[in-house]
């Protein structure tokens, strides 16, 4: 079974809407990939939720794209924004990125997104392994929602 955005949204529609809304508050977010030596690399990135997929588009030859080609594991964190408010909480997504080279799929993405270099960019779709939301609940609890494929949503609260 593919654990794409559509599968996650079907399993946990309320959390999926919250995560999409949180990512929608800002344009740029933080992507973590793995370098050749296994050490982490973090970079800025725009993301798109389209047609049941979470897409990662990158400039041609970017280091993050080369990292993902070599090892598709990634972590993605929504931009926290200014101050300490983080309306909607802190949200993170982890998984595996798979490069898409199918001309029809790339053309469909290009028509929708209009990337700066439509003839030369890297496009990755994602397979999710984890979605996490951390937020303040009832003004006194630190609440954490954790989703993993094939498991029920887990929620913990701490004071």
């Amino acid at each position: 079974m593919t654990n794409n955005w559509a599968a996650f949204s079907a399993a946990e529609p309320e959390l999926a809407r919250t995560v999409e809304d949180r990512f929608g508050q800002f344009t740029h977010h933080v992507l973590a990939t793995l370098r050749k030596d296994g050490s982490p690399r973090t970079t800025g990135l725009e993301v798109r939720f389209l047609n049941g997929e979470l897409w990662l588009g990158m400039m041609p030859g970017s280091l993050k794209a080369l990292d993902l080609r070599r090892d598709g594991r990634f972590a993605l964190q929504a931009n926290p924004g200014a101050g300490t408010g983080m309306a909607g909480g802190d949200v993170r997504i982890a998984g595996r990125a798979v490069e898409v080279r199918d001309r029809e799929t790339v053309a469909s993405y290009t028509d929708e997104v209009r990337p700066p270099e439509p003839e030369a960019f890297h496009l990755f779709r994602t397979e999710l392994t984890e979605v996490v939301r951390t937020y303040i609940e009832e003004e006194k609890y630190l609440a954490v929602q954790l989703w993993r494929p094939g498991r029920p949503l887990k929620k913990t609260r701490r004071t």
Side-chain angles (χ1 to χ4, degrees):
M1 180 174 106
T2 300
N3 293 302
N4 65 0
W5 191 256
F8 165 63
S9 295
E12 295 298 334
E14 186 176 330
L15 179 56
R17 277 190 302 277
T18 299
V19 171
E20 280 193 54
D21 289 347
R22 186 67 187 79
F23 273 95
Q25 290 177 26
F26 298 95
T27 302
H28 298 100
H29 306 286
V30 178
L31 176 72
T33 59
L34 297 171
R35 300 171 192 251
K36 282 183 200 178
D37 67 2
S39 63
R41 179 192 317 273
T42 59
T43 54
L45 179 79
E46 295 179 27
V47 302
R48 298 281 193 266
F49 297 90
L50 297 170
N51 304 320
E53 301 285 357
L54 168 57
W55 298 98
L56 311 175
M58 299 168 203
M59 292 173 36
S62 68
L63 293 175
K64 60 190 160 197
L66 300 177
D67 288 346
L68 290 174
R69 277 183 165 175
R70 187 177 44 261
D71 185 332
R73 293 177 291 174
F74 74 91
L76 179 64
Q77 184 161 11
N79 184 330
T84 59
M86 286 200 302
D90 176 49
V91 295
R92 298 177 307 279
I93 300 169
R96 181 167 289 283
V98 178
E99 189 165 18
V100 175
R101 295 183 179 175
D102 171 68
R103 288 181 189 265
E104 272 187 46
T105 304
V106 172
S108 176
Y109 177 88
T110 301
D111 289 346
E112 184 78 29
V113 175
R114 305 272 186 229
E117 295 185 49
E119 300 302 318
F121 70 100
H122 299 282
L123 180 62
F124 295 85
R125 68 171 196 77
T126 60
E127 296 173 354
L128 310 180
T129 57
E130 181 177 271
V131 177
V132 180
R133 177 181 178 225
T134 304
Y135 60 102
I136 302 299
E137 187 175 73
E138 299 174 16
E139 297 184 24
K140 66 178 179 176
Y141 297 106
L142 177 68
V144 178
Q145 293 175 299
L146 169 64
W147 174 86
R148 290 187 175 134
R151 299 182 190 173
L153 181 65
K154 181 179 177 182
K155 181 177 176 181
T156 56
R157 294 188 334 168
R158 294 183 274 199
T159 54

